């Protein structure tokens, strides 16, 4: 009978998703935050630019002590109507007049002359408007975050808003940042300092995270007065007192200047956050806002310029002030591009700034001081801790606390015993003897320096030579060579990177994978040498490294994208988990929750042996959740008879400059579950897994689902199927759904992976066209996925 | 005129200077004596019209539709159309070209694997991998082998670009300035096609001639050295330049001489009128004309742009093929359509693209017609979703080599140059480049 039910199903569709129009992805997305941070103990408003943000209800900031409330959402500012232009002009003229009167009363300006200029620039538009419209009726102001609470703005702020509005007319419209959400943020007095992540929650789900900085300095926002005649007539703003944090946005052709007072002997550190706020831009070359800083004296002479800091695109200026006086700082894009998402924050003052530490790490279970060098430091050593959290890997901490806290310093915790490099060790004769396995903490002390180490090995030994430097923010671009006793170079390596095509899976915001990795089998018993140098022949105290010399230590690191996941109750969403396999580890890795799963489960949660990535599913609980939850995942594998556990680092897959992609780490993995799954609850695979698909034949698959009228309306489609696999003959059957999976003759025998199947429903939509309703069309609206279906292709 | 246009524009003064320089170069440097024609059959093609799809056109939406790949790949363009060649379908927005399919062959398996504009443009237009030497484009090679060095007598330069310079690579490479294309500037769709250096908007012919008279009046050196050979050459060059500006040659660029219905057939837009202009140029024997057709780098608003531009392409290119054919010119004129790469088959629906296509060098389409190329054929194939080459890869040097053979240039022969470099016209098998071979299936047997 059961077979009969399967044979006579109500065939819904023959996997014909492609025959229907499908609604493009409308995942809410954030492109920038301005200002991208604030001072502890203050309340202020921020604008968040993005797309598909309608229905924004809440803002979530990672960590403690930051509270954010959505004020309202603004749609893209499209072409203004004649009436809106008039309303805008009249509004600004009225406000200009009121502010001028206030300033004139205080004796700050001679209002008449400025007013003439303000009227003139406003009249330009008016004349043009009048040519088009004899009598424009009054209208409401257009909706835009810039126009919120205009009455509270100063004259300079009003002129800045006018400037920004004019920029929108000039540039190409960028849909991905055209919407805005205005948010009020309160940062507690005791909120931890540092970079957080902010996500907007809409009725369509969570956005991607964006960086939001919690600081301690007084902050200001730029006010741009682009008309030089008006700027000359305005009272000169007093120079800024240091320290200060400057916020701004660079628009096309823009260069922002800030004047401040400094005293002789001050050791100024000017540190920029620009690229680190928005790490990658997909639709720009080189793929980020490339800020430049220039410092001028009161006479307008350039004193110092920076367009980066070592390998970091965000510039840092360190400057010994030679005389009391006023100075001016300029920031712009290196090639004068600009857009709303060219956001910056610049800290200026005698700020502590660590330029290098040595050594670059410690052993697990160990606490120690390392020497620190830099500007305005409260101490010349930094305490690093491998004891309280014994996990291997990189850590970050500042030197000092509170107001004296420096920039974050990156260090390494490793399980191997470390010893320091001892000079002279510049050639084979003076090579420093080291024991395997171990770490050598060294540095390339001067340009052209070469460090040579020797060790004894046996024929057939497999060894790994690895430098850990750039990933710890050392400027060293290492080059390693393995040399035998006769001077033959057995192997060498400059850069080592993990990538799949154009996707870099290991280094996040670093784009030059400068660390070296070499694995070799020793041919004979005897003495061997390892040579470390800088590939660009640079050197200095800061060119530090950790050199690992050891037999292979199989291990792995895991990253998963995306870091914000939106689901419907009872359905699933795909996550791609990437494994960076170390020292030849090729085994299976099982993914699991760490801590509370909040009712979620995982589908297909295994990275098969030998594979570097797999798409699994996060399966939602059967009912919607009240709000987003934070999840933690970890990977488990058996290595040398022991279970090894490593965290899964949530990441965003970000594109750089139209092509390259990078997995950029996030602080949290967040998931939001809403209703409307339409399929009922507890959808799961009814068959045993992995499903065995025989090449050249068809396999029937059953999905268990409680009876639900909407089941008949759903369509299933394979998402990114492997070669030769097709889905067909979807049917409602007793107990759920059934469909067929066909493995064609070109399917890869032996392949083991997960199938991701998208669940969609058909919606009839009419299309407005010249005020007439065009022929209704059918759109497929994706609802989510089925839990991942593990499969294996077997021979015919 | 923006800064870039200004930098690229050629002034009248510059045109005169170039004419003088060119004439002098021809007097003292004649590598033509070194040129060797293809040792094989006599040339079939006299001219090439290259429709350069600047930015890289989407192969799925033009000549390699994949309706079964689904919405994520096709977007709304899911209904390819039949052509007048049984079994051959092309994109639904190219109905006029569908009716000309018997005149052209589609190469669906072009590949080079490069996704960067500059490198891909260089690869496709030179047939060479980037290296120490900058090689000349096919147009410059044609200018060398079919231009003044080989007896071309036309006053219109032998290598013309309509209308803007390509800009992404040096077209002449190591051959030097004399083989660079002449970019017309202006807009052939405007009432007056203001060809750079020939027609200056705002300066009447009378005013220009008065200027010449004034220049002669100030020419004291010429008067004091009557009979000087160099100055005589200078005078000859000047006369040539003015002949170009005021003689019959200028009429070549005067599209008002065409009937309205002919102009309408090509489409009243810059591309359509450029196609018409190209026909007029090859009719007068110009060996190589590139129509630099911009606007195909459709990272955003892809389908909106397709809806706007493909009908323009369709009308202009179809009219060109039909017109060349009706005038008996197609047999001696190769029409080569293509860009530096294709576009990603999978539509990028996510922000910031919101329905765009990225660069795709793994496979893309080119189209060739006339000059000996057979029509009505499809060469090669791509995979089910147009992501990779499935059959018969064709590399840029395979295609360019086929064009050279049909024009009588030996692809394996020496490429003469003033720098004395010992190089061949195209890379050979010994250079180790992958090759699918010449397009023998669509070339005369």
């Amino acid at each position: 009978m059961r077979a009969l039910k399967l044979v006579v199903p109500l065939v819904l569709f023959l996997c014909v998703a492609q025959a229907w129009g499908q609604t493009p992805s409308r995942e809410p997305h954030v492109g920038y935050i301005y200002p991208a941070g604030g001072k502890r103990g203050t309340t202020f408003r921020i604008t968040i630019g993005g797309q598909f943000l309608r229905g924004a209800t809440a803002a979530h900031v990672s960590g403690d002590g930051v509270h954010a409330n959505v004020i309202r959402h603004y749609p893209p500012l499209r072409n203004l109507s004649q009436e809106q232009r008039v309303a805008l002009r009249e509004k600004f003229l009225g406000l200009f007049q009121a502010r001028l009167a206030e300033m004139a009363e205080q004796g700050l300006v001679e209002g008449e002359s400025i007013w003439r200029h303000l009227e003139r620039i406003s009249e330009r538009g008016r004349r043009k408007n009048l040519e088009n419209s004899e009598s424009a009726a009054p209208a409401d102001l257009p909706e835009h975050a810039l126009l919120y609470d205009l009455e509270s703005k100063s004259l300079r702020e009003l002129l800045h808003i006018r400037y920004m509005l004019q920029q929108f007319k000039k540039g190409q419209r960028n849909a991905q940042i055209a919407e805005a959400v205005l948010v009020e943020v309160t940062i507690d007095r005791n909120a931890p300092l540092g970079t957080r992540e902010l996500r907007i929650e809409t009725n369509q789900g969570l956005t991607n995270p964006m960086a939001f900085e919690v600081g301690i300095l007084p902050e200001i926002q730029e006010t741009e007065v682009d008309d030089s005649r008006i700027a000359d007539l305005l009272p000169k703003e007093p120079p800024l007192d240091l320290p200060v944090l400057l916020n701004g946005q660079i628009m096309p052709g823009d260069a922002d200047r800030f004047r401040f007072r400094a005293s002789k002997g001050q050791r100024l550190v000017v540190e920029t956050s620009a690229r680190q706020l928005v790490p990658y831009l997909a639709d720009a070359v080189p793929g980020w806002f490339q800020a430049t800083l220039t410092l001028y004296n009161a006479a307008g002479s350039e004193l110092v310029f920076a367009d980066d800091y070592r390998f970091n695109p965000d510039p840092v200026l360190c400057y010994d002030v030679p005389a009391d006086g006023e100075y001016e700082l300029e920031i712009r894009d290196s090639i004068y591009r600009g857009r709303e998402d060219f956001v910056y924050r610049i800290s200026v003052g005698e700020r502590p700034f660590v330029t290098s530490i040595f050594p670059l790490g410690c052993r697990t279970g160990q606490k120690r001081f390392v020497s620190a060098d830099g500007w305005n430091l409260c101490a010349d050593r930094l305490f690093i801790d491998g004891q309280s959290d014994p996990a291997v890997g990189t850590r970050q901490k500042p030197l000092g606390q509170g107001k004296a806290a420096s920039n974050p310093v990156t260090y390494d915790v490793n399980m191997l015993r470390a010893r320091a490099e001892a000079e002279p060790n510049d050639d084979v004769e003076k090579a420093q003897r080291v024991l395997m396995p171990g770490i050598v903490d060294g540095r390339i002390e001067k340009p052209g320096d070469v460090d040579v180490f020797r060790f004894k090995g046996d024929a057939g030994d497999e060894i790994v030579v690895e430098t850990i430097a750039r990933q710890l923010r050392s400027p060293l671009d290492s080059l390693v060579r393995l040399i035998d006793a006769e001077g033959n170079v057995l192997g060498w390596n400059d850069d080592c990177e993990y990538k799949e095509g154009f996707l870099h899976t290991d280094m996040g915001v670093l784009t030059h994978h400068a660390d070296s990795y070499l694995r070799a089998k020793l041919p004979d018993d005897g003495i061997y040498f390892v040579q470390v140098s800088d590939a660009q022949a640079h050197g200095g105290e800061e060119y530090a490294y950790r050199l690992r010399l050891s037999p292979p230590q199989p291990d792995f690191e895991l990253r998963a994208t995306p870091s914000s996941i939106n689901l419907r109750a009872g359905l699933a969403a795909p996550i791609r988990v990437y494994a960076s396999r170390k020292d030849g580890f090729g085994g299976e890795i099982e993914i699991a929750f760490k801590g509370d799963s909040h009712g979620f489960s995982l589908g297909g949660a295994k990275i098969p042996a030998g594979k570097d990535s797999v798409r699994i599913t996060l399966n939602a609980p059967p009912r919607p959740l009240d709000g987003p939850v934070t999840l933690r995942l970890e990977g488990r594998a058996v290595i040398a008879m022991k279970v090894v556990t490593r965290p899964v680092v949530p990441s965003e897959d970000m594109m750089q400059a139209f092509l390259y992609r990078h997995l950029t780490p996030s602080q949290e993995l967040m998931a939001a579950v809403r209703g409307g799954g339409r399929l009922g609850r507890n959808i799961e695979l009814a068959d045993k897994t992995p499903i065995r698909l025989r090449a050249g034949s068809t396999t029937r698959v059953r999905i268990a689902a409680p009876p639900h009228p909407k089941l008949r309306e759903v369509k299933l489609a394979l998402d990114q199927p492997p070669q030769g696999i097709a889905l067909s003959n979807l049917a409602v059957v007793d107990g759920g759904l059934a469909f067929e999976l066909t493995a064609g003759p070109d399917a890869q025998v032996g392949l083991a992976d997960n199938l991701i199947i998208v669940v969609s429903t058909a919606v009839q939509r009419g299309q407005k066209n010249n005020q007439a309703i065009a022929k209704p069309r059918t759109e497929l609206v994706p609802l989510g996925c089925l839990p991942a279906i593990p499969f294996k292709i077997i021979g015919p | 005129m923006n800064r870039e246009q200004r930098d690229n524009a050629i002034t009248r003064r510059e045109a005169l200077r170039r004419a003088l320089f060119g004439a002098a170069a021809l007097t003292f440097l004649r590598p033509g004596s070194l040129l060797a024609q293809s040792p094989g059959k006599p040339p079939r093609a006299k001219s090439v019209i290259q429709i350069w799809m600047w930015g890289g056109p989407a192969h799925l939406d033009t000549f390699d539709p994949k309706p079964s790949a689904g919405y994520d790949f096709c977007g709304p363009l899911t209904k390819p159309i039949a052509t007048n060649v049984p079994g051959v379908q092309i994109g639904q927005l190219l109905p006029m070209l569908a009716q000309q399919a018997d005149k052209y062959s589609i190469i669906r398996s072009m590949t080079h694997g490069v996704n960067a504009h500059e490198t891909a443009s260089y690869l496709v237009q030179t047939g060479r991998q980037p290296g120490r030497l900058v090689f000349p484009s096919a147009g410059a090679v044609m200018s060398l082998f079919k231009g003044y060095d080989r007896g071309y007598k036309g006053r219109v330069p032998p290598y013309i670009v309509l209308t803007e310079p390509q800009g992404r690579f040096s077209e002449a490479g190591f051959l030097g300035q004399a083989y660079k294309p002449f970019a017309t500037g202006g807009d052939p769709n405007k009432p007056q096609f203001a060809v750079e250096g020939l027609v200056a908007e705002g300066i009447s012919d009378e005013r220009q001639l008065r200027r010449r008279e004034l220049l002669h009046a100030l020419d004291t050196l010429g008067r004091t050295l009557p009979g000087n050979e160099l100055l005589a050459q200078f005078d000859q060059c000047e006369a040539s330049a003015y002949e170009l500006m005021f003689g019959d040659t200028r009429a070549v660029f005067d599209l008002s001489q065409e009937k309205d219905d002919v102009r309408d057939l090509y489409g009243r837009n810059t591309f359509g009128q450029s196609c018409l202009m190209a026909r007029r140029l090859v009719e007068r024997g110009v060996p190589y004309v590139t129509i630099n057709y911009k606007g195909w780098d459709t990272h955003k608003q892809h389908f909106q742009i397709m809806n706007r531009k493909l009908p323009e392409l369709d009308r202009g290119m179809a009219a060109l093929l039909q017109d060349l054919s009706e005038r008996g010119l197609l047999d001696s004129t190769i029409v080569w359509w293509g860009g530096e790469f294709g576009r990603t088959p999978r539509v990028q629906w996510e922000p910031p693209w919101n329905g765009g296509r990225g660069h795709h060098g793994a496979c893309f389409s080119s189209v060739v017609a006339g000059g000996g190329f057979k029509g009505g054929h499809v060469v090669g194939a791509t995979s089910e979703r147009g992501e990779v080459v499935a059959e018969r890869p064709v590399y840029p040097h395979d295609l360019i080599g086929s064009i050279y053979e049909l024009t009588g240039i030996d692809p394996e022969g020496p490429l003469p140059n003033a720098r004395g470099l010992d190089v061949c016209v195209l890379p050979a098998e010994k250079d180790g480049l992958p090759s699918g071979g010449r397009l023998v299936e669509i070339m005369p047997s």
Side-chain angles (χ1 to χ4, degrees), chain A residues 17 23 38 117 133 268 415 441 448 464 480 510 606 639 648 709 729 733:
Chain A
T23 305
H117 283 296
S133 170
L268 283 189
M415 65 173 67
D441 284 309
V464 172
V480 296
L510 287 176
K606 274 182 192 165
I639 302 176
V648 177
N729 292 338
V733 296

Side-chain angles (χ1 to χ4, degrees), chain B residues 166-186:
Chain B
Q166 297 178 79
R168 275 192 160 139
F169 70 109
S170 164
E171 296 95 328
F174 56 67
L175 290 182
Q177 288 289 318
Y179 299 95
K180 274 188 86 69
F182 174 69
T184 61

Side-chain angles (χ1 to χ4, degrees), chain A residues 18 22 24 29 51 174-176 282-283 502 655 658 720-721, chain B residues 68 70-72 115 299-300 346 348-349 351-354 385:
Chain A
Q18 61 271 26
Q22 195 164 29
H29 165 82
Q51 192 177 16
N174 294 288
Q176 77 272 18
D283 57 342
F502 294 108
M655 182 179 275
F658 300 93
Q720 301 176 34
Chain B
S68 62
Y71 187 79
D72 279 352
N115 288 340
H299 288 284
K300 296 181 180 178
R346 183 181 285 276
Q348 297 165 305
W349 294 114
W353 318 115
N354 294 302
R385 293 166 168 176

